[in-house]
């Protein structure tokens, strides 16, 4: 068999295979498929063979054009998938650290017109090209740390024009950058100041003007709502998400992060693809998400950064059969981190997930959370060749060694896009 690219002698080739139809749940989440002394072959943008170097290498036709990567002593993983980011925004919010460090809560800063609303002011003032440029810079950082596909939300425009501008920036970044982006419309991220005291009117605007325009321009696959006390109620979230579903969007929801409102139950009722955060999810919410197989996208980097006193009940969700994925939540306020490698450590230490569970939750299960599990998320013949070679002897080393970027070579769509110098 002819190959364009071969990775050979991998100390551990972690395939995350066998779950392209349904996410891994319960004990399966902790099962990871590791080939020792692994080899992987790529033709064009697809994986064509995976196995042990001794068995598979002899079946491969290596020509002078074949790119051969020797992964002796290294771990090879599917490209990481980040299923929850607020990638496109202008400015930053380090000026809020004084308040934050004095203990002023996140929702109080927002209620005072700061927080998300401060990023909204900066994003409205930015041009499309400025948003593209900052987004490309963040995309570079993510790719360099091993993320090859990410979801990206709008939500800092909050006018029809500025939400469209943001979604166009996401489309543009997706076209210009190797990182693949899956776009989500989050027009209901906050009630903008011009609608203060009239949230229902803003909800009408989202439903009657923004959603149809985003749908007509085909700018988003998912619709999301920030369902939270003082932001959007369960009833308002239901109205928006129902309308979005009728217009063909798949659904996500920021649910039960700070105040337990019942966002998880709403996600189950509407058969959302995912409910995200879930620090204060109820037992009934867990039961209903497991029953409907709504993915829980957990964002422990945010819990860490907000200094919340407890994390999402990951162990309980896993035991009860909720499919779990992990993401960064990269955004300028509650989690200005876009490295999934750091999330690996936080997820092990504070969600008490094992390294194997964490890797499945950032590869195949994360691909399910954005509707891409047929194409990405595991190393199997037929899947897209999105691969990371880590400078690590075992996969457990990844969460253990936090703070350094261990991603050494990144292959995206069959192309060696980072680490090809030698
Ligand atoms: O900019 O604070 N939680 N949305 C919901 C965010 C955090 C992003 C932000
Ligand atoms: Zn978020």
């Amino acid at each position: 068999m002819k190959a364009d690219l071969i990775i050979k002698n991998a100390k551990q080739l972690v395939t995350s295979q066998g779950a392209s139809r349904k996410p891994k749940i319960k004990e399966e989440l902790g099962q990871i498929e590791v080939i020792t002394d692994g080899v992987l072959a790529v033709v064009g943008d697809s994986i064509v063979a995976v196995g042990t170097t001794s068995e598979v290498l002899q079946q491969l036709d290596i020509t002078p054009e074949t790119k051969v990567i020797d992964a002796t002593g290294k771990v090879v993983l599917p490209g990481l998938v980040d299923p929850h980011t607020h990638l496109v925004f202008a400015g930053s919010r380090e000026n809020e650290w004084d308040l934050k460090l004095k203990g002023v809560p996140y929702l109080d800063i927002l209620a005072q017109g700061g927080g998300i609303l401060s990023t909204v002011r900066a994003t409205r003032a930015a041009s499309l090209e400025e948003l593209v440029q900052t987004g490309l810079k963040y995309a570079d950082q993510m790719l360099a740390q091993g993320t090859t596909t990410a979801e990206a939300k709008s939500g800092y425009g909050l006018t029809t024009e500025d939400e469209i501008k943001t979604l166009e920036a996401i489309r543009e970044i997706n076209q210009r950058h190797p990182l693949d982006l899956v776009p989500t419309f989050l027009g209901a991220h906050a009630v903008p100041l011009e609608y203060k005291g009239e949230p229902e009117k803003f909800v009408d605007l989202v439903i009657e003007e923004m959603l149809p325009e985003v749908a007509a321009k085909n700018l988003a696959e998912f619709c999301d709502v920030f369902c939270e006390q003082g932001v959007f109620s369960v009833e308002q979230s239901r109205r928006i998400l129902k309308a979005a579903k009728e217009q063909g969007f798949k659904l996500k929801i920021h649910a039960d992060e700070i105040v337990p409102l019942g966002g998880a139950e709403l996600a189950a009722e509407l058969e959302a693809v995912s409910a995200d955060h879930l620090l204060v999810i109820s037992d009934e919410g867990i039961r209903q998400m497991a029953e409907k197989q709504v993915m829980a996208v957990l964002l422990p980097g945010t819990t860490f950064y907000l200094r919340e006193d407890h994390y999402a009940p990951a162990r309980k969700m896993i035991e009860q059969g909720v499919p779990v994925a992990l993401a960064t939540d990269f955004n300028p306020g509650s989690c200005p981190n876009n490295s999934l490698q750091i999330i690996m450590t936080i997820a092990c230490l504070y969600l008490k997930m094992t390294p194997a569970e964490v890797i499945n939750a950032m590869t195949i299960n994360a691909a399910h959370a954005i509707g891409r599990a047929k194409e990405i998320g595991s190393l199997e013949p037929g899947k897209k060749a999105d691969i990371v070679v880590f400078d690590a002897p075992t996969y457990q080393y990844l969460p253990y060694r936090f703070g350094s970027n261990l991603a050494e070579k990144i292959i995206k769509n069959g192309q060696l896009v980072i680490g090809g110098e030698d």
Side-chain angles (χ1 to χ4, degrees), residues 84-86 153 186 189 224 254 257 276-277 299 302 329-331 334:
H84 183 136
T85 84
H86 302 251
K153 304 177 195 294
L186 177 58
H189 191 194
D224 190 352
H254 284 67
E257 179 186 3
D276 302 26
H277 285 295
L299 311 164
T302 309
D329 194 19
F330 176 53
N331 74 72
S334 62

Side-chain angles (χ1 to χ4, degrees), residues 337-359:
N337 158 60
N338 54 24
S339 165
L340 278 169
Q341 289 181 58
I342 290 169
I343 303 299
M344 288 182 184
T345 304
I346 301 178
C348 286
L349 293 178
Y350 295 105
L351 297 180
K352 302 185 174 70
M353 291 172 68
T354 64
E357 288 175 331
V358 164
I359 287 172

Side-chain angles (χ1 to χ4, degrees), residues 299-349:
L299 311 164
T302 309
T303 317
F304 169 79
Y305 199 76
L306 290 179
R307 297 187 297 178
E308 300 283 354
D309 52 18
H310 78 282
Y311 282 73
R315 288 260 54 97
K316 201 166 173 182
M317 289 188 238
I318 294 166
E319 272 156 29
Q320 300 198 17
V322 177
V324 168
L326 288 161
T328 60
D329 194 19
F330 176 53
N331 74 72
S334 62
C335 194
N337 158 60
N338 54 24
S339 165
L340 278 169
Q341 289 181 58
I342 290 169
I343 303 299
M344 288 182 184
T345 304
I346 301 178
C348 286
L349 293 178

